[in-house]
Amino acid sequence: MADGDDDVPLILTWDDASSGLLEEDENGAGNYDIVNNVVIPTPGAPDPRAQNSLRQSWEMNYQEAAIYLQEGENNDKFFTHPRSAHALSAYLFAHNHLFYVMELLTAVLLMLLSLSEAPAVPFLRLDVYIHATLELLALALVAFELGMKLRWLGFRTFIQHKRTMVKTCVLFLQFIEAIVVLVRQTSHLRVTRALRPIFLVDCRYCGAVRRNLRQIFQSLPPFIDILLLLLFFMVIFAILGFCLFSANPADPYFSTLENSIVSLFVLLTTANFPDVMMPAYSKNRWSCIFFIVYLSIELYFIMNLLLAVVFDTFNGVEKMKFKSLLLHKRSAIEHAFQLLVSRQRPDGVSLKQFDGLMRFYRPRMTARDRFLTFKALNYSGATMLSLQEFYKFYEVIGLKWKARRSGEYWFDDLPRTAFLIFKGINLLVKSKAFQYAMYLVVAINGIWILVETNMLNDGVSWTHVVPWSYIVFLTIYGIEVLLKLTGLGPMTYFSSGWNLFDFSVTVFAFLGLIALAFDMEPFYFIVVLRPLQLLRLFKIKQRYRNVLDTMFELFPRMASLGLTLIIFYYSFAIVGMEFFAGVVYPNCCSNSTVADSYRQINVTIGNRTVLEEGYYYLNNFNNILSSFVTLFELTVVNNWYITMEGVTSETTHWTRLYFMTFYIVTMVVMTIIVAFILDAFVFRMNYSRKNREPLDDPEDEKGIVFETEVSQTEALQTLDLYKHTLGVTNLSSLQEMCVALERSGHSSLVFQGRRSRTKSDLSMKMYEEEIQEWYEEYSRTNLQPDEAFHRELDSPEANASNSIN
Amino acid sequence: MADGDDDVPLILTWDDASSGLLEEDENGAGNYDIVNNVVIPTPGAPDPRAQNSLRQSWEMNYQEAAIYLQEGENNDKFFTHPRSAHALSAYLFAHNHLFYVMELLTAVLLMLLSLSEAPAVPFLRLDVYIHATLELLALALVAFELGMKLRWLGFRTFIQHKRTMVKTCVLFLQFIEAIVVLVRQTSHLRVTRALRPIFLVDCRYCGAVRRNLRQIFQSLPPFIDILLLLLFFMVIFAILGFCLFSANPADPYFSTLENSIVSLFVLLTTANFPDVMMPAYSKNRWSCIFFIVYLSIELYFIMNLLLAVVFDTFNGVEKMKFKSLLLHKRSAIEHAFQLLVSRQRPDGVSLKQFDGLMRFYRPRMTARDRFLTFKALNYSGATMLSLQEFYKFYEVIGLKWKARRSGEYWFDDLPRTAFLIFKGINLLVKSKAFQYAMYLVVAINGIWILVETNMLNDGVSWTHVVPWSYIVFLTIYGIEVLLKLTGLGPMTYFSSGWNLFDFSVTVFAFLGLIALAFDMEPFYFIVVLRPLQLLRLFKIKQRYRNVLDTMFELFPRMASLGLTLIIFYYSFAIVGMEFFAGVVYPNCCSNSTVADSYRQINVTIGNRTVLEEGYYYLNNFNNILSSFVTLFELTVVNNWYITMEGVTSETTHWTRLYFMTFYIVTMVVMTIIVAFILDAFVFRMNYSRKNREPLDDPEDEKGIVFETEVSQTEALQTLDLYKHTLGVTNLSSLQEMCVALERSGHSSLVFQGRRSRTKSDLSMKMYEEEIQEWYEEYSRTNLQPDEAFHRELDSPEANASNSIN
């Protein structure tokens, strides 16, 4: 290979490595001068000790480059980059999956504690000393995590990092409160428990939630503006309504100005319509105009405007987020590149250095894959990677490498007869006729289920007899799955999401059959999932495939939005429990307007006696699970004022503030969810329109594919290089490659690297032109990374501060 | 001017004009040969009779060109273009505002009849023979209108025109039914009255409604696709719910499969949540998962997807609509251009011909404005308008021309003292301090009103005493209006929408004061409008100005969407009245689940007696006004199932189909309204982002401005031309211009033409690049207009058919 052993890094990282080299220099045996942390080779023969020290300093460089690339990938800001050797060890300790899992579990444990703290879920109730001790334990763990962070960041960066400081303060508060609880052996009013989700949000694995929260906060200013307009109209109409309707004694909704405002706030959610109109309407039919105008302005105009404004902001924020991520990655790549080039050849990264980097960046990657990744990056064919080539780092890093198969089918290597049989099956399952026949079966099955269910009109009797239709259809589905599995081969079969869906529904149906046959009561619900099979019918039409694919694509983001919502729920649930636990019960709230919904009593109407059951006492804050259900009901909004008025009548009228705040918060989150779905869908549509190709065409299903050709001589050379020069021990993957090359009989072999397409790839294609502009703007105005390096190279102060930290 | 009197049109239009010329030829006195409708001048001296005939044929050309341009403006298709002289007279009869107004009034009368037909609004009830006679009269008018159309279009085109054929069929049906009613002297089940809005939709003035309907129908296919997905999940969950909950006798919502489906359909609208969950939830707390999953999928995902799909389609449809309008206009201009050029100079339109056109196209336009419009188009400065210049026709046609004022203020010409006073006032009202002082006053006024109203907590007593605060604030507002009026001059003052708003609110407040002072009870509501003054506070922030400006801009479109909705309401109201009039009344529906909402009876609870008032019997279909209110309540959706179940319990369960269909129809219209608001707002935001200028900057408020300079000699020449050559009689405007030029002492005068900016102008700017592409594509592929002309010129058959039609 082109780079010899005597290459010296352009930049030396971290003080101890450079001090090692300096030591050599002091002994006078080295061939290098170190000026301002930059190694300058002096002529002369290589010395083994100097070489050893050089190797160590390269290793340090690889590690730091790997850390830069990780920071680029995770969008960690560079000012939290470890600056010294002991910061590095803390950094490495705090950056691995074990630590992340611990962090997550601690946070989840802390949140779950509210299941057991009073007011607890009945069957999970724990004694005060148990849950307080658990809490202290968890908090101690959090404190330990923060300690590691302090060690890694240094004190100054630590107190500059806002999120960490907030976390520290909350931790301190919770600690004190937990101790107080333990000492008093009873829980006091602990509203601060509502802050617990902060620990969860700060977890490494909850990055998506953090991003959602940031997006919510970024969308807030325009949202609040429009909200004020909304509330302004509400107050104007409240004054108007009070003036118009307060004279009517039968109208409780507008009797005072406060009632007017509350009524119109609830009307904004439509929850009390048309009841709120009825007393006025029964007195004067024209009064409906007031309500129609109010709803037209508020509900149909300003509420939609709210969505429009959020959607517009969201659009912009998404693009900016993508831009900043992209430029951050670019900057990380530049940092890493500078650390990987040698003094002798400052324009390129050799395989040796790339391999060194990858051993830190992806320790599990095989030597063959590291080599193939290098080849994939190195599209110019030169021996070194240029910076331009290295910019593609993040695009190729996730590729899974495989030798391109010479044959088409998995059964190519089988004997002739078997091949023909499988080939026949393959042709069968790929034929249109087979597909449509299956659609027909599914459709018939659907109608069957509908008719069957409709005939059970007197309630479902769990007869424990398996109906024959169930067996027939299941057999057909089973045969289909088997045919497809054998015809396409398991790899091809399971690579399609639709097939996976078919497979799992069929397997569930079989489990249901077994449950039915063996009388396992709790598994009956599986039987009921049968109609899901019908979802396959939607594969027929392009639009449905698009919609359902979008649905699957959106799922991770939706899940993180759901988690964000749950975090808001948690905080509100804690506050609700602290203030409203146990305030509603059957037959409470008798002096409120919603007494009916809580009444559970025999009522005499005329001469009949009826049991009136008002179930609303179930919508309470008695424990965290009930609170969540209640809050979900409040989110759906319909009849939410019944819960609000019930609780209000048993507490003070300030309680309404809690409910109204909750409504506004969920409105924000829900609007963002709608904006997100709109944005994702419109983006996808625009994408497929721009590229004039439907997104689900087979090309696309493969995802991103890179191909690279390896010749026999190249493979042997590389093996040699790895064995002798790099000293890598685990070379089985490379050796296998060489063997495969020899066996194939060809002089070269093509390897394919695949990965699934991500939103980032789509964005790259969508914003193609803009990305070029961004890059130019970035390299024109934002010279930070280069500047930083030059400063490190040139100025003695920077060098000094580097070794002090 | 350049064109002499002996110019001959390139194309001759309509047979009688050319036959006039042919006659001349037969007499042998003409100087022209006519070959295939094209006039070829033969050498020789001009003959006065030939000249007269030539002038006539030019007039015919001007008229047809004007008709083409009108068709371009109104987006009428060219296949309805009048093809012969008597078609022309029918066309002219049917295309003027008197005829349009008659058309509109007839349609409105027909629709209003349902106020008086049984079941009528009590105080508008008419006898059968009166309303049936009125209806026959209106239908006869419609028949007359259709007759005119038949005459103008010709039989073949008439039966090809779908909308007209539908109208004819409906007319025929209505005629028969009206006669039957008159003969039987009683109304039968007349569901066909629901078709009456067709007459309204077909009116010239309801073009916006037609466009909306077209847009709704275009958005339907993707909408229906997603709707099917929605309904599919609904049915699956209904089966699931039936299996899970039908065993619970206390749960009426899932007792049969039909009930399950209806419950989940209603749950889709959230109207029965959380009640629908409560029986199952009280039995098993985990059953809430079923409802949460259902709502998450259906309400929060698929419903939003529906919006996304409609929004996406809407976006595309809006752009395509703009494109087709633009190209249609271009084509109309090309048609007109061909008719205006002469055989001698086929590349340009001279002022003479342009003036001739304009006399037909805008009969009310003064000679000066016609001249200035020509100058504005003629930016190359040549004597003739090229086709490229003529393409701008629609951009300049709406301009209002005025000589540019030399001074800045309206009081420039006043004496020195007055000037200084007004100048002072001008500076004052333009100062920031004045504006903020006014904001402060408005804010204080707002707080005052709130406090005052809050203190009237025991209901408003109409004390007939004017509160002093009212007078104080009103005086301040009055002074402000006066100051602004005098400082800015009425023209400048009223040109701002915000000032207009201030002015009208202040005037209304004065009227309220007078009403208070003179005890005019019915005008009290004006007093209540005072808080609207507060809306001015929103002027402070850029975003609010944007939002409110968008609101004003959207208003016309919103109004037309509202009208579209009312048309749907009308049809549903008629059907509702025919089937459900009088079915609900107090204490009806006692055997339904919603009996409570209709109950009006003393109820004994424990040992207390309470009057329970269920007002829902008011939501009925007893007359068209009540029906409209009921349908609005159904649109708002909350508690709509109470009305549905009430009516269902008194009729059959098929009634639900009516309500569900109505829900789906309003869902379509509402989704389109949301998509429209989103689109309009996002469009506006993108526009102002693209042009890096806020839309409300003063430049923009002026709208579109064209300037053209007229020199004294040019003015005199033009006057001369008009007087002698064109024989135009009303030249006062041109003479005034000459006088003004002389008086000003300058050798030339600049005239400014202004018009307000329309959505089309914004679109032009937004789609700048795409428009060029469209034009190229249009001239490349769609050679129809030119081809058509060449065909008319070249082929004898085309010519023959032209003279036959």
Side-chain angles (χ1 to χ4, degrees), chain B residues 428-445:
Chain B
L428 174 70
V429 296
K430 275 188 174 168
S431 68
K432 285 262 168 214
F434 182 78
Q435 279 177 34
Y436 283 101
M438 283 315 298
Y439 290 146
L440 194 70
V441 171
V442 173
I444 293 171
N445 190 4

Side-chain angles (χ1 to χ4, degrees), chain B residues 265 268-269 303 637 640 659-667:
Chain B
F265 188 90
L268 201 69
T269 68
M303 285 288 242
V637 160
W640 68 288
F659 288 92
M660 289 180 172
T661 312
F662 180 75
Y663 171 69
I664 289 174
V665 169
T666 47
M667 186 165 75

Side-chain angles (χ1 to χ4, degrees), chain A residues 225 240 278 528 544 619 638, chain B residues 225 240 278 528 544 619 638:
Chain A
D225 284 344
L240 214 71
M278 282 300 149
V528 155
Y544 290 121
N619 305 327
N638 193 63
Chain B
D225 284 345
L240 215 71
M278 282 300 147
V528 154
Y544 290 122
N619 305 328
N638 193 64

Side-chain angles (χ1 to χ4, degrees), chain B residues 470-766:
Chain B
Y470 189 89
I471 296 171
V472 169
F473 283 113
L474 199 51
T475 314
I476 298 177
Y477 295 144
I479 290 170
E480 190 213 2
V481 166
L482 283 181
L483 281 179
K484 280 199 163 175
L485 259 174
T486 48
L488 301 172
M491 296 298 285
T492 322
Y493 180 79
F494 285 116
S495 68
S496 151
W498 279 105
N499 286 339
L500 218 64
F501 173 77
D502 283 1
F503 182 79
S504 45
V505 171
T506 311
V507 165
F508 269 118
F510 266 108
L511 290 181
L513 189 71
I514 293 168
L516 271 182
F518 287 91
D519 264 10
M520 294 188 287
E521 296 252 354
F523 293 103
Y524 279 155
F525 76 95
I526 292 176
V527 184
V528 154
L529 293 178
R530 266 191 310 162
L532 279 184
Q533 198 73 259
L534 301 182
L535 209 59
R536 289 168 56 177
L537 282 180
F538 287 96
K539 255 163 52 181
I540 302 177
K541 199 164 177 183
Q542 170 66 38
R543 194 190 312 279
Y544 290 122
R545 269 174 307 190
N546 258 340
V547 165
L548 292 170
D549 286 350
T550 312
M551 215 158 147
F552 285 124
E553 255 173 43
L554 292 186
F555 194 75
R557 268 303 292 277
M558 291 295 281
S560 79
L561 276 171
L563 193 59
T564 313
L565 197 62
I566 284 178
I567 281 171
F568 280 110
Y569 271 30
Y570 186 86
S571 297
F572 273 94
I574 294 282
V575 175
M577 275 156 56
E578 291 292 356
F579 291 111
F580 315 130
V583 302
V584 293
Y585 43 83
N587 295 318
C588 73
C589 325
S590 52
N591 52 357
S592 75
T593 53
V594 295
D596 277 354
S597 306
Y598 291 90
R599 192 178 295 148
Q600 213 163 25
I601 207 165
N602 289 329
V603 172
T604 315
I605 301 164
N607 49 10
R608 285 185 308 128
T609 300
V610 183
L611 176 73
E612 265 198 9
E613 264 198 299
Y615 287 110
Y616 274 76
Y617 68 93
L618 289 172
N619 305 328
N620 53 40
F621 291 91
N622 292 353
N623 62 56
I624 193 138
L625 294 183
S626 296
S627 302
F628 267 69
V629 175
T630 308
L631 291 177
F632 180 76
E633 288 169 13
L634 294 178
T635 307
V636 175
V637 160
N638 193 64
N639 283 353
W640 68 288
Y641 72 98
I642 296 182
T643 305
M644 176 169 82
E645 290 301 314
V647 174
T648 303
S649 75
E650 297 286 309
T651 53
T652 74
H653 68 149
W654 290 105
T655 301
R656 284 176 181 148
L657 265 187
Y658 170 84
F659 288 92
M660 289 180 172
T661 312
F662 180 75
Y663 171 69
I664 289 174
V665 169
T666 47
M667 186 165 75
V668 177
V669 180
M670 283 299 159
T671 310
I672 294 216
I673 289 179
V674 176
F676 161 67
I677 293 177
L678 268 181
D679 182 70
F681 200 82
V682 170
F683 178 86
R684 218 186 131 93
M685 288 287 118
N686 280 344
Y687 174 83
S688 61
R689 226 174 271 135
K690 192 166 184 179
N691 295 286
R692 313 249 160 181
E693 49 162 64
L695 264 177
D696 67 333
D697 80 3
E699 250 324 294
D700 202 83
E701 263 179 43
K702 281 186 202 160
I704 307 285
V705 179
F706 275 78
E707 288 198 347
T708 188
E709 196 175 347
V710 180
S711 70
Q712 206 158 353
T713 47
E714 201 179 7
L716 288 172
Q717 269 178 11
T718 311
L719 186 61
D720 197 54
L721 175 85
Y722 271 77
K723 210 179 280 174
H724 299 110
T725 324
L726 274 66
V728 178
T729 47
N730 185 2
L731 291 170
S732 57
S733 59
L734 269 177
Q735 281 155 348
E736 268 169 39
M737 181 173 81
C738 293
V739 173
L741 259 166
E742 248 169 74
R743 241 203 338 220
S744 73
H746 300 291
S747 68
S748 67
L749 203 56
V750 174
F751 285 86
Q752 282 186 326
R754 283 165 196 273
R755 63 182 171 84
S756 53
R757 201 175 280 235
T758 61
K759 167 108 194 211
S760 157
D761 292 309
L762 299 183
S763 302
M764 288 284 256
K765 222 168 177 177
M766 272 295 286

Side-chain angles (χ1 to χ4, degrees), chain A residues 62-327:
Chain A
Y62 297 153
Q63 186 154 28
E64 187 171 15
I67 288 173
Y68 267 121
L69 289 174
Q70 262 158 14
E71 285 169 337
E73 196 176 7
N74 300 331
N75 200 21
D76 288 330
K77 296 287 156 280
F78 296 131
F79 81 99
T80 63
H81 189 79
R83 298 233 167 260
S84 66
H86 75 260
L88 177 70
S89 63
Y91 178 90
L92 291 178
F93 185 84
H95 285 77
N96 66 68
H97 289 282
L98 214 71
F99 187 84
Y100 299 157
V101 168
M102 185 184 80
E103 204 179 40
L104 185 70
L105 287 181
T106 325
V108 169
L109 174 68
L110 268 173
M111 285 183 72
L112 288 182
L113 274 180
S114 55
L115 285 168
S116 312
E117 291 164 342
V121 178
F123 57 94
L124 290 172
R125 193 188 306 281
L126 292 177
D127 278 336
V128 171
Y129 67 92
I130 298 178
H131 71 67
T133 313
L134 271 174
E135 189 178 355
L136 272 179
L137 198 76
L139 290 173
L141 269 174
V142 175
F144 168 70
E145 290 154 17
L146 274 174
M148 288 315 293
K149 203 166 188 179
L150 175 62
R151 206 176 143 80
W152 144 48
L153 285 177
F155 185 69
R156 208 181 302 169
T157 320
F158 186 82
I159 57 169
Q160 278 166 0
H161 199 254
K162 251 186 261 166
R163 206 172 66 223
T164 311
M165 278 317 289
V166 171
K167 192 175 167 180
T168 314
C169 295
V170 172
L171 177 70
F172 192 68
L173 194 73
Q174 302 271 309
F175 230 102
I176 293 174
E177 287 207 284
I179 290 169
V180 168
V181 168
L182 206 55
V183 169
R184 292 180 61 221
Q185 285 287 319
T186 174
S187 279
H188 52 277
L189 186 74
R190 281 189 68 189
V191 181
T192 53
R193 285 191 295 156
L195 297 174
R196 277 182 189 162
I198 287 174
F199 300 125
L200 185 67
V201 169
D202 193 53
C203 282
R204 163 72 53 181
Y205 289 143
C206 292
V209 176
R210 276 203 301 281
R211 274 194 294 279
N212 285 335
L213 286 173
R214 203 175 300 129
Q215 212 149 0
I216 289 173
F217 287 121
Q218 277 164 337
S219 304
L220 267 190
F223 189 93
I224 287 172
D225 284 344
I226 308 290
L227 196 69
L228 284 179
L229 195 68
L230 196 78
L231 295 179
F232 171 78
F233 273 106
M234 203 180 83
V235 171
I236 286 190
F237 272 88
I239 294 173
L240 214 71
F242 174 66
C243 292
L244 291 173
F245 307 127
S246 61
N248 182 359
D251 192 340
Y253 298 100
F254 294 93
S255 56
T256 66
L257 188 61
E258 193 198 329
N259 279 351
S260 284
I261 292 177
V262 171
S263 296
L264 289 186
F265 189 90
V266 177
L267 182 54
L268 203 66
T269 68
T270 76
N272 59 358
F273 193 78
D275 308 83
V276 67
M277 180 174 94
M278 282 300 149
Y281 185 57
S282 81
K283 214 181 160 195
N284 180 351
R285 296 298 151 95
W286 295 108
S287 60
C288 67
I289 293 170
F290 173 84
F291 297 94
I292 291 175
V293 170
Y294 178 75
L295 282 174
S296 303
I297 293 181
E298 293 278 81
L299 185 66
Y300 293 119
F301 191 77
I302 303 185
M303 285 287 241
N304 289 333
L305 213 59
L306 211 60
L307 176 62
V309 170
V310 171
F311 175 65
D312 190 61
T313 318
F314 192 89
N315 241 321
V317 168
E318 279 276 290
K319 202 167 170 180
M320 281 307 106
K321 204 176 75 184
F322 174 69
K323 177 181 169 182
S324 82
L325 271 174
L326 200 73
L327 295 183

Side-chain angles (χ1 to χ4, degrees), chain B residues 14-16 18 37 83-85 796-805:
Chain B
W14 295 314
D15 34 350
D16 51 348
S18 53
N37 252 14
R83 298 232 169 258
S84 66
E797 308 89 28
N799 180 21
S801 76
N802 201 21
S803 51
I804 284 165
N805 283 345

